[in-house]
Amino acid sequence: MNNNIIKKVSIKVFRNLLLIFLVIGGLSKSKAYTPIVIDILMPAPFIDSTKERVDSFNKENYGKIKIRTTRGPRQTESVSDLAISSLLLGKSDFDILLIDVTWLAKYSEAGWLIPLDEFIDDKEWSLLERGAILGNSYKNIPYRWPLLADIGLLYFRKDLINKVPETPEELLSTSVKLINEGVVSYGYVWQGRQYEGLSCFFLEALHAFGGGWIDSQGKVLLGTKPSIKAASWASRLIESGASPRSVTNFTETEALQAFEQGEAAFMRNWPYAWAELNKDNSPVKGKVGVTTMVAESNGRSVSTLGSWGFSILSSSNNKDLAYKAIKYLTSVQSQRHYFLNFGYTPTYKSLYKDKELRSNSEILPILQQALNRTEERPKTAIYAQISEVLQKQLSSILTKQITPKEGMNLAKSKTLKIIESAGSI
Amino acid sequence: MTLQLINISRRVKRNWIIRNLNLEVGDGECIALLGPSGCGKSSTLRIIAGLDKPTEGQLLINGKLVNNISPVDRRVGMVFQSYALFPHLSVAQNLSLGLKVRGDSLTKQKEKVSSILSIMQLDEYSERLPIQLSGGQRQRVALARALLRDPYVYLLDEPMSNLDAQLREELRPELRRLILSGDQPVVYVTHDQHEAMAMANRIAVLNNGTLEQIGTPEELYKKPSSLFVARFIGRPQINILRSSTNIIKAIRPEDIQIKAEGIRCRLLQKEWLGINQLIYLESPKGHIKVICDSRKSFSDSIYVDWDESNEHHFDAYTNKRLN
Amino acid sequence: MIYLLLITPALTLVLIVFGFPIVRYSWLSLHSYSVLTGLDVIPNTAANWVRLLNDDRFWQDAIQTIRFSTLSVSIELVLAIAIALILHQKIKRRGLVRALSLLPWALPTTIMALGWRWIFNTPYGPLENILNTIGVGTFNFLGDPRYAWLTTVIADVWKTTPFIALLLLAGLQSIPKDLYEAFKLEGGNSNQSFLRITLPLLEPYIILSLLFRIAQAFGVFDLIQVMTGGGPAGTTESLGLYAYLNAMRFLDFGYSATVMLASFILLVFYCLMLWILLSISKRIYELII
């Protein structure tokens, strides 16, 4: 009896061991067909949103190509630091970088990215919305293919106002009115901290008053009347109480927090905020409207272009396969998936006509509209210096260190100085 | 000037460091506190100085109760075992610091310091830092500081223990001249019985925080009140004889004579010490040591004897003296 | 001769660790090396230095760095002495208290800077809330040029005081107890013993922590980067942050090296001034006590 049990058990053990060996053998055998690995560095949030598409790519190309993603830091600029550190070593660990629109000029100028015109023809570009085509080229050569579009939007509380403000002055006066009536404690919240977000906010203001930052000929438009008007308006937002004093330390996070708590009537932010504001636990769920930026009658309503896209590094050994991976991750089907699950603004025209998407999201038309009014920040390798000059002078104006006129003139002269020492823009 | 300790005890948590200590140091008298380490001799000194508080008992200086008097107002001149010289100050500054904080004028400070420096033969070292002095010089600075204090009582905490043997002997007369010739009572803590005998008028032997015996060196040597004192005082150590009764008998090595007949012993070892020699014997009463003339030579069998009146008898249970 | 041989390994290490960067930076500061040169290194004689002398931003940052370092190191030193004196006492669970007091120092700077950014944030920070509740009003700490740099000082003080305190505690423990007792018998009270024994004997430790901390404060970067990003109005930007921005954001490594080297020279100059000031005040101190 006992012997029998021992026999049975040992047969089972033997069988299982055999199975394990077979599986291990199989695995090591499959290693013989090592796939070519394409390494991509992305900021952490994108790793999560693209995971499903990466997995399905790897499944379809099993044994041939494998996308391996590296989780970068959360902060946009920290990702850039990481990428640059690896690029400076000469031979980068990565084939593909997911890059922000403001890095493009710098990276291209440094020779780190390869031109994509051998892969992409005009026909393919024409499938994208106008705003999505922008921000991918430097000196008329494309270096990047977009994953998603990103544009500045004006959020408002549709339950509190009857008429959506269309001009900067209306936005200011409506905010003040709502505060005086005690409806909200803050009127308009935006990005006033001394950082890149302030440049994004101000680019929209410059155009709203009929001005600009640096025009296509490379002429600096700071210090002009419209720029002073724009700066005065931003300063008056705080003075008049339309925006809280603490807006001088607001990033997107603080602005969203105030708006989501129902304490603000208007907010400048990016499309991602829509999904956040309409989550089930959001106090303002269903009360939020989105529109394009305000502008004076002689100005233009524009949205600052954000957007992320993939670029192939010069040091990559598998550029063709890298491009194949990029096309897959940014395909219509992929973008559909990103929009439905993560609210990423699509870049393909076709998706804006897609019935399912349209019925699923009320802001798709607004996104399309904003995308068509989008404006790029100056495309130059010295963008970071120029932007920091503007940020610092704006921060000085907003915190009452200098007047808008002085600030804009200083911004102009310092920008010119940087351009001069760089030789050109 | 006098110093009196009446029933002084000190307890730290549950341990008695000192128990019911009575001590009287008279005018110009030097008392040595002698005992093994941890016996409470340094604590006694600290209590007198006011650095530690007694748990019970009274402390009198010049007949005045000083239990609640601050250390500075007790006016004691203390020499620390480490000398406690201020390492960042020169010799002169070390000496004048006390005068300064006690409010002497600058000229007075200078006067006093230079006179003490010349008494101590330290003039040429006045600008040196303690680290630049030899051990003996440091000790002299520490003594000078105690002298400058013009104290009611001198407290010396193992003042010689950091010096080598030769220097110690050289410094003894100096110490006697400077400190012991005055009329202040001196309490001298040491674990070295030779030093205690050489320096003190009376010796107080402490054991486990209690006073075993106090008396002149001669009294302690000749009539130790307990087995502990008998073993502690006198070198080579006293011989304890094997006994079957409740009485412990002991005889000092120097009281044993070698004779032609008597108790028969076997020679174990000998140590030649110059003026005399120390021999180790195995006797019917156990191992004994004998001091004898260094010129003597021995065979393996030796006969010894002693005068019974020289024996010290102690109770086997209390270890107290019986005869 | 043999001693030269014996110190060779240590000397080589020091040269590699300290000498190499300084030589490399000096060399780089005489070259154009940026994204605009296609990352090629091109000699430009003193162009970087001329640019530095005329660079308002550099000088504003230099003043800010000096202001920040001076204030935070001064506060840290005073607090650290006080804390070291407390930790030196026989307190209950002394080991635990000492270990706990090191926690802020052990925390990564970026994490603690995020914490402070949250604490000082307006309107949702706890500090604003407390001040509002007790009716003091709103301060806008991080958004107001008057206060923002002070918040970075507070964060820095919070982080590094424990470390200095521990350093000074080691100094306190090296002072023999005998000295205090001897001084007490001589008539010194506790104030006098602090001024005449503790402080003079602690001096080497104080100098050490001063030098150590000033060098560290001069290079402050991550704290500022996270808490204020250099704003508002550029008032909190340090030289370290500026050098970092030049290298990693502007890809201008030649100028970044120039800024680094200039701030190193500034640091040496600052320490020299401090040394003179300390010698003078030591003389005065010895005269008045």
Side-chain angles (χ1 to χ4, degrees):
Chain A
M1 190 66 191
N2 251 343
N3 261 343
N4 235 346
I5 292 174
I6 290 171
K7 224 178 203 172
K8 270 185 182 170
V9 168
S10 49
I11 286 172
K12 263 189 182 171
V13 167
F14 180 73
R15 197 193 60 196
N16 288 343
L17 276 175
L18 199 69
L19 263 173
I20 290 169
F21 281 129
L22 280 176
V23 169
I24 291 174
L27 282 175
S28 56
K29 210 174 175 193
S30 73
K31 258 192 180 166
Y33 310 106
T34 314
I36 293 166
V37 176
I38 300 295
D39 275 299
I40 310 183
L41 173 65
M42 298 192 243
F46 291 108
I47 298 276
D48 302 324
S49 49
T50 56
K51 188 179 183 303
E52 205 180 307
R53 297 302 295 163
V54 167
D55 288 347
S56 79
F57 178 88
N58 287 343
K59 213 168 168 186
E60 281 176 30
N61 296 282
Y62 182 74
K64 284 175 283 185
I65 320 172
K66 184 175 190 296
I67 295 177
R68 189 163 64 193
T69 55
T70 300
R71 186 177 285 267
R74 247 172 194 286
Q75 300 276 318
T76 308
E77 292 306 327
S78 310
V79 181
S80 177
D81 290 352
L82 184 68
I84 288 174
S85 307
S86 111
L87 287 163
L88 282 172
L89 292 174
K91 179 85 184 81
S92 173
D93 299 334
F94 307 108
D95 297 286
I96 299 173
L97 282 188
L98 181 60
I99 68 172
D100 181 68
V101 64
T102 57
W103 308 346
L104 188 83
K106 186 161 72 179
Y107 283 31
S108 316
E109 187 73 45
W112 291 332
L113 310 180
I114 62 158
L116 296 180
D117 36 11
E118 61 167 303
F119 298 110
I120 314 164
D121 57 17
D122 288 348
K123 204 182 134 222
E124 237 165 315
W125 284 109
S126 68
L127 298 175
L128 302 183
E129 280 288 342
R130 186 195 80 91
I133 301 170
L134 293 175
N136 296 308
S137 302
Y138 176 62
K139 293 181 175 165
N140 290 319
I141 300 167
Y143 287 96
R144 188 181 83 146
W145 183 253
L147 170 69
L148 61 99
D150 217 1
I151 54 261
L153 297 170
L154 182 62
Y155 290 81
F156 60 91
R157 287 281 298 279
K158 56 186 179 191
D159 57 326
L160 301 181
I161 54 168
N162 315 319
K163 185 182 164 294
V164 178
E166 280 170 9
T167 67
E169 292 307 325
E170 271 176 39
L171 180 55
L172 190 150
S173 57
T174 315
S175 298
V176 173
K177 198 179 129 236
L178 287 171
I179 292 168
N180 289 342
E181 286 168 1
V183 181
V184 283
S185 35
Y186 310 134
Y188 180 34
V189 291
W190 36 283
Q191 290 82 47
R193 181 176 160 104
Q194 185 186 328
Y195 81 119
E196 187 54 32
L198 182 54
S199 292
C200 294
F201 160 82
F202 195 62
L203 179 69
E204 288 156 4
L206 282 168
H207 284 276
F209 284 91
W213 189 347
I214 293 176
D215 70 11
S216 50
Q217 273 79 49
K219 191 166 175 258
V220 178
L221 301 179
L222 301 175
T224 57
K225 267 200 179 134
S227 75
I228 296 167
K229 273 190 196 162
S232 314
W233 173 69
S235 170
R236 274 190 297 124
L237 281 173
I238 300 173
E239 261 169 72
S240 65
S243 297
R245 264 203 302 151
S246 54
V247 86
T248 54
N249 193 44
F250 272 27
T251 64
E252 286 88 354
T253 316
E254 286 84 9
L256 181 61
Q257 195 177 10
F259 192 77
E260 192 174 2
Q261 294 305 313
E263 297 193 46
F266 302 101
M267 168 177 72
R268 188 227 171 254
N269 216 322
W270 307 93
Y272 84 96
W274 175 259
E276 295 290 324
L277 293 170
N278 285 294
K279 277 184 178 162
D280 283 338
N281 57 358
S282 161
V284 294
K285 184 181 189 301
K287 299 176 186 168
V288 181
V290 184
T291 184
T292 48
M293 279 300 152
V294 290
E296 289 290 309
S297 53
N298 61 346
R300 268 194 322 128
S301 158
V302 306
S303 296
T304 300
L305 179 72
S307 89
W308 289 86
F310 291 111
S311 293
I312 302 174
L313 294 182
S314 319
S315 57
S316 166
N317 292 326
N318 299 296
K319 300 189 174 76
D320 291 340
L321 296 183
Y323 180 67
K324 188 178 173 184
I326 290 177
K327 282 301 271 188
Y328 188 90
L329 293 180
T330 59
S331 67
V332 173
Q333 199 191 344
S334 295
Q335 290 203 356
R336 209 184 144 84
H337 167 77
Y338 304 142
F339 181 75
L340 290 174
N341 293 288
F342 304 98
Y344 286 5
T345 311
T347 63
Y348 283 101
K349 281 178 185 165
S350 61
L351 284 168
Y352 288 91
K353 294 179 197 121
D354 188 296
K355 279 213 177 96
E356 193 198 339
L357 294 199
R358 283 189 89 105
S359 65
N360 221 300
S361 168
E362 57 181 286
I363 67 160
L364 205 57
I366 307 287
L367 290 176
Q368 190 180 20
Q369 205 181 349
L371 204 49
N372 279 306
R373 295 177 179 188
T374 188
E375 190 67 34
E376 285 179 89
R377 285 165 270 176
K379 278 205 284 196
T380 157
I382 51 170
Y383 173 72
Q385 289 97 307
I386 288 172
S387 177
E388 284 197 6
V389 162
L390 180 64
Q391 290 159 28
K392 186 175 162 184
Q393 298 311 325
L394 281 173
S395 182
S396 300
I397 293 167
L398 297 177
T399 55
K400 295 262 166 283
Q401 308 295 298
I402 44 176
T403 67
K405 194 174 172 187
E406 285 165 354
M408 283 299 108
N409 286 329
L410 267 175
K412 180 187 179 179
S413 62
K414 283 175 189 282
T415 305
L416 287 174
K417 204 167 153 189
I418 288 171
I419 294 172
E420 192 197 353
S421 71
S424 69
I425 189 147
Chain B
M1 293 189 216
T2 58
L3 171 70
Q4 273 174 282
L5 278 71
I6 303 169
N7 255 328
I8 292 283
S9 299
R10 178 170 160 81
R11 194 183 57 188
V12 175
K13 284 176 189 163
R14 302 179 71 179
N15 297 327
W16 288 97
I17 309 293
I18 296 166
R19 202 90 217 240
N20 298 331
L21 182 63
N22 287 291
L23 204 64
E24 204 175 326
V25 194
D27 201 69
E29 188 187 20
C30 176
I31 282 202
L33 295 182
L34 186 65
S37 57
C39 71
K41 53 192 194 298
S42 281
S43 292
T44 309
L45 211 61
R46 294 176 59 84
I47 288 172
I48 300 169
L51 298 172
D52 287 338
K53 275 203 172 304
T55 313
E56 290 163 9
Q58 291 163 308
L59 183 72
L60 285 78
I61 294 177
N62 295 337
K64 207 180 116 197
L65 186 70
V66 296
N67 280 38
N68 295 318
I69 303 279
S70 72
V72 57
D73 293 328
R74 293 187 191 186
R75 227 167 114 179
V76 296
M78 185 156 170
V79 174
F80 289 77
Q81 187 175 4
S82 65
Y83 309 141
L85 300 180
F86 306 115
H88 57 299
L89 299 180
S90 68
V91 169
Q93 286 170 323
N94 258 288
L95 295 177
S96 62
L97 183 58
L99 301 172
K100 201 190 244 174
V101 297
R102 292 196 297 274
D104 276 3
S105 72
L106 211 61
T107 41
K108 211 164 182 189
Q109 287 174 35
K110 275 198 178 142
E111 203 178 290
K112 284 184 179 173
V113 169
S114 71
S115 94
I116 199 82
L117 281 172
S118 71
I119 292 174
M120 303 301 291
Q121 292 157 356
L122 283 167
D123 314 68
E124 53 184 309
Y125 304 109
S126 71
E127 291 313 311
R128 291 215 191 157
L129 291 176
I131 198 158
Q132 298 163 319
L133 300 177
S134 71
Q137 288 163 343
R138 282 182 215 173
Q139 198 226 30
R140 287 220 295 278
V141 178
L143 286 176
R145 186 168 67 186
L147 284 170
L148 268 183
R149 186 74 181 90
D150 187 19
Y152 295 140
V153 181
Y154 280 113
L155 304 173
L156 309 181
D157 190 2
E158 311 240 13
M160 305 273 204
S161 66
N162 284 332
L163 306 174
D164 61 55
Q166 199 194 335
L167 203 55
R168 267 185 233 186
E169 248 163 62
E170 281 171 25
L171 283 170
R172 270 186 213 159
E174 190 173 50
L175 200 60
R176 228 177 261 130
R177 172 173 67 91
L178 293 166
I179 308 251
L180 307 185
S181 61
D183 53 4
Q184 294 95 337
V186 177
V187 182
Y188 191 115
V189 164
T190 180
H191 64 271
D192 178 344
Q193 54 160 320
H194 282 302
E195 201 174 297
M197 286 178 172
M199 304 301 288
N201 305 102
R202 285 191 294 157
I203 298 175
V205 179
L206 291 178
N207 181 27
N208 274 332
T210 55
L211 186 62
E212 287 278 335
Q213 188 177 6
I214 183 164
T216 62
E218 198 184 347
E219 282 166 9
L220 260 55
Y221 177 76
K222 289 194 170 154
K223 268 188 168 306
S225 68
S226 67
L227 189 58
F228 178 82
V229 177
R231 295 171 98 154
F232 203 81
I233 301 282
R235 285 290 174 279
Q237 220 178 28
I238 200 164
N239 294 304
I240 313 289
L241 304 174
R242 195 179 289 153
S243 144
S244 53
T245 61
N246 286 340
I247 296 168
I248 296 173
K249 292 180 178 176
I251 181 82
R252 296 205 180 269
E254 51 272 35
D255 290 335
I256 301 176
Q257 285 90 39
I258 296 174
K259 301 222 164 131
E261 51 190 53
I263 304 166
R264 186 165 180 262
C265 302
R266 194 164 65 85
L267 177 67
L268 294 174
Q269 292 175 32
K270 49 187 183 180
E271 285 172 14
W272 193 80
L273 300 170
I275 185 162
N276 47 28
Q277 59 182 327
L278 175 62
I279 55 177
Y280 292 79
L281 304 173
E282 191 186 321
S283 79
K285 301 195 169 189
H287 287 199
I288 56 174
K289 294 178 290 263
V290 178
I291 285 277
C292 65
D293 194 314
S294 61
R295 282 164 298 188
K296 245 180 196 153
S297 59
F298 309 100
S299 61
D300 272 1
S301 287
I302 297 171
Y303 295 90
V304 298
D305 200 3
W306 58 79
D307 187 346
E308 267 193 32
S309 68
N310 284 334
E311 278 181 8
H312 303 267
H313 293 180
F314 302 99
D315 185 295
Y317 298 105
T318 62
N319 284 345
K320 291 289 173 218
R321 186 178 186 88
L322 295 172
N323 59 340
Chain C
M1 276 317 276
I2 192 84
Y3 74 93
L4 274 178
L5 200 71
L6 289 173
I7 60 167
T8 304
L11 210 64
T12 317
L13 202 70
V14 169
L15 275 179
I16 291 171
V17 174
F18 296 102
F20 176 73
I22 291 174
V23 172
R24 165 93 179 146
Y25 278 22
S26 311
W27 182 80
L28 262 183
S29 78
L30 299 173
H31 291 76
S32 286
Y33 174 31
S34 74
V35 64
L36 295 171
T37 66
L39 298 183
D40 287 331
V41 184
I42 301 164
N44 69 358
T45 53
N48 284 329
W49 289 96
V50 173
R51 182 175 153 200
L52 184 97
L53 293 177
N54 295 309
D55 186 353
D56 303 345
R57 188 164 171 187
F58 170 81
W59 292 109
Q60 193 193 341
D61 291 355
I63 291 168
Q64 163 58 18
T65 304
I66 291 171
R67 179 170 78 158
F68 170 86
S69 308
T70 309
L71 187 66
S72 58
V73 175
S74 315
I75 298 175
E76 280 161 23
L77 200 64
V78 173
L79 279 181
I81 290 176
I83 291 172
L85 287 173
I86 292 168
L87 290 182
H88 191 47
Q89 305 293 312
K90 281 197 179 122
I91 46 176
K92 269 188 187 172
R93 297 188 186 275
R94 184 157 64 165
L96 187 75
V97 173
R98 282 180 191 172
L100 281 179
S101 71
L102 252 190
L103 269 186
W105 187 72
L107 217 58
T109 310
T110 42
I111 293 182
M112 76 102 191
L114 271 178
W116 281 103
R117 181 171 164 185
W118 173 72
I119 288 171
F120 281 118
N121 121 59
T122 313
Y124 298 107
L127 193 66
E128 283 284 345
N129 267 331
I130 292 167
L131 291 176
N132 270 325
T133 319
I134 61 171
V136 183
T138 305
F139 274 91
N140 192 18
F141 288 108
L142 294 171
D144 190 319
R146 283 173 299 174
Y147 312 128
W149 77 281
L150 291 171
T151 65
T152 61
V153 167
I154 291 171
D156 194 54
V157 167
W158 182 83
K159 179 173 170 62
T160 29
T161 303
F163 180 71
I164 305 189
L166 227 67
L167 208 76
L168 296 181
L169 180 63
L172 281 179
Q173 283 171 337
S174 76
I175 303 175
K177 239 176 75 189
D178 282 3
L179 298 187
Y180 293 107
E181 292 178 346
F183 189 60
K184 201 167 164 188
L185 296 179
E186 291 277 320
N189 60 32
S190 55
N191 276 339
Q192 285 169 325
S193 82
F194 176 73
L195 293 175
R196 290 182 181 279
I197 299 175
T198 311
L199 266 190
L201 289 178
L202 215 51
E203 187 197 299
Y205 295 85
I206 291 175
I207 302 275
L208 181 77
S209 27
L210 260 182
L211 284 179
F212 182 80
R213 275 298 302 140
I214 282 167
Q216 211 179 29
F218 248 72
V220 67
F221 155 66
D222 36 7
L223 175 79
I224 308 291
Q225 165 80 339
V226 174
M227 268 186 83
T228 62
T235 49
T236 59
E237 187 171 284
S238 64
L239 287 173
L241 182 54
Y242 189 39
Y244 157 83
L245 290 173
N246 269 294
M248 300 305 277
R249 295 286 154 78
F250 310 163
L251 297 180
D252 190 344
F253 303 100
Y255 194 58
S256 174
T258 315
V259 172
M260 285 297 264
L261 207 61
S263 68
F264 176 69
I265 294 169
L266 217 60
L267 171 65
V268 171
F269 188 68
Y270 183 94
C271 288
L272 212 68
M273 298 301 285
L274 188 75
W275 181 71
I276 294 171
L277 195 77
L278 280 177
S279 325
I280 295 173
S281 41
K282 201 181 154 190
R283 282 278 166 76
I284 297 173
Y285 181 82
E286 277 163 6
L287 279 178
I288 56 171
I289 65 160

